[in-house]
Amino acid sequence: MAQVPQTFFDALAVRTWCGLALEALGRAREEIDAINVYPVADGDTGTNLYLTVESAVGAVEAVFAGHAVDARDTEGPLLADAARAMAHGALIGARGNSGTILAQLLRGMSQVLADGDNAHTDGPGLRLALRRAADAARQAVAHPVEGTVLSVASAAADAAGDTQGDCGTVARAAYEAACTALAATPEQLAVLGRAGVVDAGGRGLVAVLGALVETFTGEAPGVVGAVGGRPGSGSGSVSFSSEAGPFSSEAEEIPRDGAADCPEPGETAAEDGPAYEVIYLLEAGDDAVERLRARLDGLGDSLVVVGGDGLWNVHVHVDDAGAAVEAGVEAGRPYRIRITHFGVDDVHSVRGERPPRERAQRAVVAVVPGEGLAGLYAEAGATTVLARPGEPPASGELVEAVRRAHAREVVLLPNDAELRHTAAAAAEQARAEGVRVALIPTRSPIQGIAALAVHAPERRFDEDVVSMTSAAGATRHAEVVVAERQSWTMAGICQAGDVLGLIDGDVAVIGSDVTATAEAVLDRMLSAGGELVTLVLGDEAPPPIADHLEHRVREAYLAVDTVVYRGGRQGALLLIGVE
């Protein structure tokens, strides 16, 4: 059925465009995932773009729903309301390198669309919005590379700027120019030419622009064939359909002589890149973000920082995930931190020759309460979901983490008794998507560490799960926290400000001194025996506490080892494990 065209770019047009873009990306998701080879061949660009736009759609729908419940509102939201909601939703929901750039494209457009109290804008306004979008996205990328979504966005903006007419005419000019630019990406970026594909992020943007055309004309753009490369030539041409049909690419053969061993312009000479993708939202001022950009640029690559007005989305590929998160802590308040370990089959370099990876056989997904623990788990190969105090993850976030793990079999570690039902719901949904999931009911990140320590992917799945479950169950866990209010406990009445020592979830010690309370808890736990003590220090723990407890273990308990980790802002002052 043909879409009813929108005459002007108003709030309803924003809503329509977002919905059509989500549908287009839904149809094209698997195809885009399959051609994802740059900057990492991890096969998730289509999924990341879909999730980013899905978040934008949710924010826009919330604005319309808010106006619908107000009986006095007969006109609905303004263009500025819908545009800002679209940009904010994309920002907080951006996934991956491509999704982060798309969020900035939408933010750039919204800055023009939301300028003033106009109910709508027209063709000239759309021209300005597309220009602002392309410029904003390019500025957000630390080291822009041609042959990517940035090139496609610039071409669309250039064509729009040269076009006179209404929104439909401008949108179609931008779309057609984007198609041409997309077809040229294999010639601009050698890794695409070698793989015989176009840029995946650019392909996603073409789908989004196709939805923009449909919004204003009522019809989806037709098949654009044999564009790019040399006119009239098969070499370098790419044909595709706006209905998300498969690409066919006939890239020119790359000469296999000595010159092929040199990096192409815009490429790096390194064949292996960083091991982790780190993404987080950040509340920080402009000056702090500028310092953060410089810090992260020295830690890794694929750096994209988007947003503004105090809220940012940070994306970077690094070898030291903990350092990337710590840089965010120094800049402001990072949250919704996602750390993904690239598998051995992921290709991070633009010089990679291999096709996008297939699913790994097995992965571990874990919920962790602090940045330090997130880095620790990620270094051990786990995909992490950060849970801040008072901000437990929803089942959807766990399902998304399972998808990011990209494995046939997944071991899920909730690391919190309160997350048992949430994790169970996520596991059921993941199983419905064809992933074999085992939920180990870990009640503390300490138990998760023990389980992860014996994880052996080469074993049969059931054997691995039994071994990890056994290790977690054999680990007693404790935490030292500060009471927030007066309360009855198993150890008596505590007052606000008292130091509490909880063993296996129950209050066992009430004290006034953190170190003394921690020592009492540790003594109680070791009275039943143990071979290894694990200490995870929170940011607010007294600096000498680790040395004091290590000395206590050495002096009072023979043949017991101690390991110490920094957990960051994990809620508890101290986590203790004995196994």
Side-chain angles (χ1 to χ4, degrees):
M1 176 183 290
Q3 174 70 33
V4 176
Q6 302 296 314
T7 306
F8 297 105
F9 210 146
D10 57 8
L12 183 57
V14 172
R15 184 188 199 184
T16 302
W17 177 35
C18 288
L20 290 174
L22 186 64
E23 293 176 8
L25 289 171
R27 294 190 298 268
R29 183 180 62 80
E30 292 185 2
E31 170 203 335
I32 297 173
D33 283 346
I35 63 172
N36 173 201
V37 298
Y38 179 86
V40 183
D42 51 357
D44 64 358
T45 292
T47 299
N48 287 337
L49 289 170
Y50 180 87
L51 291 172
T52 301
V53 174
E54 184 179 48
S55 182
V57 168
V60 173
E61 290 299 325
V63 167
F64 273 85
H67 282 263
V69 298
D70 186 351
R72 299 167 298 176
D73 185 350
T74 60
E75 297 182 357
L78 295 173
L79 170 60
D81 297 331
R84 291 193 187 102
M86 172 185 70
H88 181 73
L91 176 67
I92 65 174
R95 301 292 191 271
N97 187 73
S98 54
T100 307
I101 293 174
L102 178 60
Q104 189 70 349
L105 287 166
L106 296 179
R107 177 178 172 80
M109 291 191 70
S110 75
Q111 289 174 332
V112 174
L113 299 177
D115 187 15
D117 295 326
N118 297 325
H120 64 263
T121 191
D122 50 13
L126 178 55
R127 291 203 307 267
L128 290 175
L130 290 170
R131 179 77 271 161
R132 180 74 63 85
D135 292 345
R138 191 168 287 269
Q139 292 166 6
V141 178
H143 301 285
V145 174
E146 299 305 326
T148 64
V149 63
L150 298 178
S151 303
V152 176
S154 293
D158 291 344
D162 293 336
T163 302
Q164 301 296 322
D166 59 13
C167 288
T169 303
V170 173
R172 187 175 294 278
Y175 170 77
E176 292 176 353
C179 292
T180 301
L182 177 64
T185 56
E187 297 177 0
Q188 294 175 289
L189 199 55
V191 64
L192 302 178
R194 286 193 289 268
V197 298
V198 295
D199 179 66
R203 170 65 181 95
L205 180 58
V206 164
V208 172
L209 290 173
L212 188 64
V213 174
E214 186 175 359
T215 298
F216 294 115
T217 67
E219 297 180 356
V223 174
V224 180
V227 297
R230 298 186 300 273
S233 166
S235 296
S237 69
V238 180
S239 62
F240 58 96
S241 164
S242 65
E243 292 301 316
F247 270 87
S248 64
S249 176
E250 301 176 28
E252 291 180 292
E253 184 176 350
I254 305 298
R256 299 298 178 188
D257 54 19
D261 294 328
C262 299
E264 297 292 331
E267 298 183 10
T268 60
E271 185 152 341
D272 296 315
Y276 303 99
E277 177 184 60
V278 179
I279 307 173
Y280 49 80
L281 293 178
L282 176 70
E283 294 177 356
D286 292 356
D287 292 342
V289 169
E290 284 306 310
R291 293 191 294 271
L292 175 65
R293 288 181 196 269
R295 172 86 180 276
L296 294 179
D297 194 28
L299 289 176
D301 59 29
S302 297
L303 173 61
V304 184
V305 181
V306 304
D309 301 321
L311 180 62
W312 309 82
N313 192 307
V314 179
H315 170 280
V316 68
H317 294 172
V318 294
D319 279 322
D320 189 343
V325 175
E326 289 172 7
V329 173
E330 292 177 4
R333 177 180 176 263
Y335 59 104
R336 291 195 187 179
I337 300 172
R338 295 185 296 276
I339 300 175
T340 303
H341 181 261
F342 294 125
V344 295
D345 292 329
D346 291 331
V347 184
H348 190 283
S349 167
V350 294
R351 301 193 62 209
E353 302 282 349
R354 294 167 288 178
R357 66 170 175 137
E358 295 183 358
R359 286 184 178 275
Q361 182 59 36
R362 190 174 308 159
V364 176
V365 173
V367 179
V368 292
E371 299 89 351
L373 279 174
L376 175 67
Y377 271 76
E379 288 171 6
T383 297
T384 62
V385 178
L386 192 73
R388 288 195 172 280
E391 300 178 14
S395 61
E397 293 180 72
L398 301 188
V399 173
E400 182 202 329
V402 171
R403 291 171 182 153
R404 283 191 287 122
H406 203 59
R408 298 183 182 89
E409 301 168 340
V410 169
V411 179
L412 182 57
L413 305 175
N415 291 338
D416 186 339
E418 299 296 324
L419 290 177
R420 181 167 56 91
H421 296 299
T422 300
E428 283 302 315
Q429 184 173 341
R431 291 180 187 120
E433 296 178 6
V435 181
R436 188 180 184 188
V437 181
L439 171 59
I440 298 178
T442 47
R443 295 175 293 164
S444 163
I446 292 288
Q447 290 187 321
I449 291 173
L452 199 56
V454 299
H455 171 52
E458 68 276 4
R459 283 194 298 237
R460 290 178 56 249
F461 185 62
D462 291 341
E463 293 176 353
D464 195 26
V465 171
V466 168
S467 177
M468 295 176 71
T469 303
S470 178
T475 303
R476 299 188 69 195
H477 62 93
E479 58 183 313
V480 177
V481 300
V482 175
E484 296 181 354
R485 58 185 178 276
Q486 184 185 63
S487 180
W488 290 88
T489 76
M490 296 285 291
I493 301 175
C494 71
Q495 305 295 328
D498 283 347
V499 181
L500 308 181
L502 290 81
I503 299 178
D504 294 333
D506 294 323
V507 176
V509 179
I510 300 175
S512 58
D513 179 76
V514 175
T515 301
T517 302
E519 181 178 326
V521 169
L522 187 57
D523 285 340
R524 289 200 183 195
M525 297 178 75
L526 286 173
S527 66
E531 299 176 353
L532 176 66
V533 172
T534 301
L535 304 175
V536 182
L537 305 180
D539 277 349
E540 298 181 3
I545 192 171
D547 290 340
H548 178 89
L549 295 179
E550 283 187 280
H551 181 266
R552 171 65 180 169
V553 172
R554 283 196 306 268
E555 293 297 317
Y557 303 97
L558 297 177
V560 178
D561 295 323
T562 305
V563 293
V564 180
Y565 301 111
R566 300 285 174 179
R569 292 187 287 185
Q570 61 187 19
L573 297 172
L574 177 68
L575 300 176
I576 304 174
V578 173
E579 53 185 298

